[in-house]
Amino acid sequence: MNDEPPVQNQPSGLAPPADFTTFMRKYQDMVFTTSARLVRNDAQAEDISQEVFIKAHEHFDMLATSPSAGGWLKTVATNLSINHLQRYRKRWKFFSEFGGDSQEDDAPGVEFAAPDTFFEGIDSEEKRAWIEDALSKLPDHQRIPLVLYHFEEIPYDEIARRLGVSLAKVKTDILRARTALAKILTRGDSTLTAMAS
Amino acid sequence: MNPHESEKLETAVHAVLRRLPDRKAPSSLEGRVLAELSRRAALPWWRKSFAHWPSAVRLSFVLCSALAAFLGVSGLVALAGTQGAHQVTGNISSSLAWLILARDVVASFDGKARQILAAVPPLWLYGVAGGIALCYAALAAIGAATYRAITFSRQTT
């Protein structure tokens, strides 16, 4: 996290439209967050965000006045992040999926008695950081569909198509991700309460 | 988990995640984007993609390419029928005579190898092939198990 204002040092000889800089400042947090939640690596997310804004600059005539510019940027950021992940996923697919997910298959259902406790202190910086951390701790095959479903609001079948997996696997992975997240958050609640007291 | 619990969990997780604010982008991002745009803008047109070339240059390039292709094909067709073409073919054949020698050497080795293979009992060959397959499978299994162990230990820590 950094609260510094955006860098102002434009390289000499650069003449992007002043509006583009304003445009970029308006959307850079959203683009970076979209990418960072998918790839789970800030350096790679920054590279992807750079690529997104370079594409945006090529279409700036259209985006400058478009009310759906934010959606366009989010879609491009999501697509580039998925492409980035697919490149590595292909390489490790065999190894990561070898032997199946027996541990998760045998996992008992979460005791989900009090979801309302999730909301306690949700607006605090500490709790938000905890949730982001919990999200990043999920394995890729659970986190990616979860992020696509809950943050990008992409339907199950579209997620399955884009990730190249079955619809049933997407649903199972998202359910397991929610369960795992709920467990972490429930644990986190007690830890945060203990730290506070 | 029954459908009601599953729905409740989905609603709760969705509400929690949707309330998360965006993270702050690194302060270096804006500078990096502007620097890259500047670098690309400074490139001369011939170092950019074809789509960025001036229209007149693009048209000229297409016409010149078509002309070059036409001249090349016409030249080859014209040359193929001349006396000089036969001479050139002969010269090339003589300069590549070593390839024929190499082919003969490989063929003689191939013959020896076939003789040796014929002398080895088939059971031995099956055994060697099975051993190689077993080693390959064991290596893959060890690699996969190690990867899974490392990944699992990272997830649990």
Side-chain angles (χ1 to χ4, degrees):
Chain A
M1 292 279 182
N2 92 69
D3 294 314
E4 294 169 29
V7 172
Q8 304 292 326
N9 54 332
Q10 291 191 3
S12 58
L14 175 64
D19 286 350
F20 183 73
T21 311
T22 312
F23 174 85
M24 196 161 51
R25 284 178 192 161
K26 184 178 173 187
Y27 291 112
Q28 63 180 0
D29 290 351
M30 182 270 287
V31 168
F32 176 75
T33 304
T34 301
S35 186
R37 282 184 183 141
L38 280 168
V39 300
R40 196 169 47 175
N41 179 307
D42 286 2
Q44 289 169 4
E46 191 178 355
D47 290 345
I48 292 168
S49 303
Q50 179 183 335
E51 212 176 321
V52 171
F53 281 113
I54 285 165
K55 284 184 187 295
H57 187 260
E58 288 167 7
H59 300 90
F60 190 57
D61 291 343
M62 176 268 289
L63 290 174
T65 53
S66 170
S68 58
W72 188 93
L73 288 168
K74 212 171 177 43
T75 304
V76 174
T78 304
N79 290 343
L80 290 179
S81 301
I82 291 174
N83 289 348
H84 174 85
L85 290 163
Q86 299 279 31
R87 249 174 264 150
Y88 293 96
R89 185 171 165 269
K90 275 180 187 152
R91 194 176 303 167
W92 291 107
K93 190 176 179 184
F94 171 75
F95 292 106
S96 60
E97 293 184 358
F98 192 77
D101 296 322
S102 56
Q103 288 144 349
E104 288 92 348
D105 287 339
D106 298 336
V110 66
E111 288 171 19
F112 193 67
D116 294 342
T117 59
F118 289 171
F119 299 104
E120 286 171 12
I122 184 93
D123 294 324
S124 76
E125 193 66 30
E126 198 176 17
K127 179 94 184 226
R128 286 170 179 170
W130 185 277
I131 297 169
E132 287 282 1
D133 187 51
L135 196 60
S136 72
K137 278 180 181 162
L138 295 174
D140 284 357
H141 67 278
Q142 291 181 0
R143 190 191 70 260
I144 294 163
L146 183 85
V147 168
L148 293 175
Y149 184 82
H150 286 293
F151 286 104
E152 313 309 326
E153 299 189 331
I154 300 174
Y156 290 123
D157 53 348
E158 178 65 11
I159 295 172
R161 192 186 64 76
R162 288 167 80 164
L163 297 181
V165 295
S166 69
L167 180 61
K169 178 165 168 56
V170 165
K171 286 183 177 175
T172 309
D173 283 344
I174 291 178
L175 179 63
R176 285 177 183 161
R178 284 183 197 131
T179 308
L181 198 60
K183 276 181 185 170
I184 296 171
L185 292 175
T186 310
R187 273 205 306 269
D189 271 338
S190 53
T191 309
L192 285 176
T193 310
M195 282 165 65
S197 59
Chain B
M1 189 183 293
N2 65 45
H4 175 67
E5 277 183 333
S6 171
E7 213 170 280
K8 200 174 162 190
L9 176 65
E10 178 179 343
T11 310
V13 168
H14 188 75
V16 167
L17 295 180
R18 297 295 294 183
R19 285 173 72 171
L20 284 179
D22 284 343
R23 290 179 54 194
K24 201 89 180 150
S27 55
S28 54
L29 177 62
E30 187 179 317
R32 282 181 55 177
V33 172
L34 295 178
E36 179 61 17
L37 289 174
S38 169
R39 190 190 68 78
R40 291 187 183 196
L43 287 174
W45 62 264
W46 65 84
R47 291 193 58 195
K48 293 180 185 173
S49 69
F50 185 70
H52 290 90
W53 289 13
S55 306
V57 178
R58 272 191 284 178
L59 185 66
S60 309
F61 180 80
V62 171
L63 289 175
C64 288
S65 301
L67 185 66
F70 174 76
L71 288 176
V73 172
S74 306
L76 280 176
V77 169
L79 275 174
T82 60
Q83 182 65 34
H86 298 297
Q87 199 178 343
V88 169
T89 312
N91 288 343
I92 291 172
S93 299
S94 60
S95 64
L96 294 179
W98 62 271
L99 273 177
I100 296 164
L101 182 67
R103 189 195 63 189
D104 292 343
V105 171
V106 170
S108 70
F109 273 113
D110 185 45
K112 294 285 179 203
R114 280 174 194 277
Q115 282 176 5
I116 292 168
L117 276 179
V120 175
L123 197 63
W124 285 32
L125 294 177
Y126 296 143
V128 170
I132 290 170
L134 199 67
C135 288
Y136 184 80
L139 196 64
I142 290 167
T146 309
Y147 177 77
R148 293 279 296 179
I150 292 168
T151 309
F152 182 68
S153 67
R154 272 187 197 157
Q155 283 168 12
T156 49
T157 51

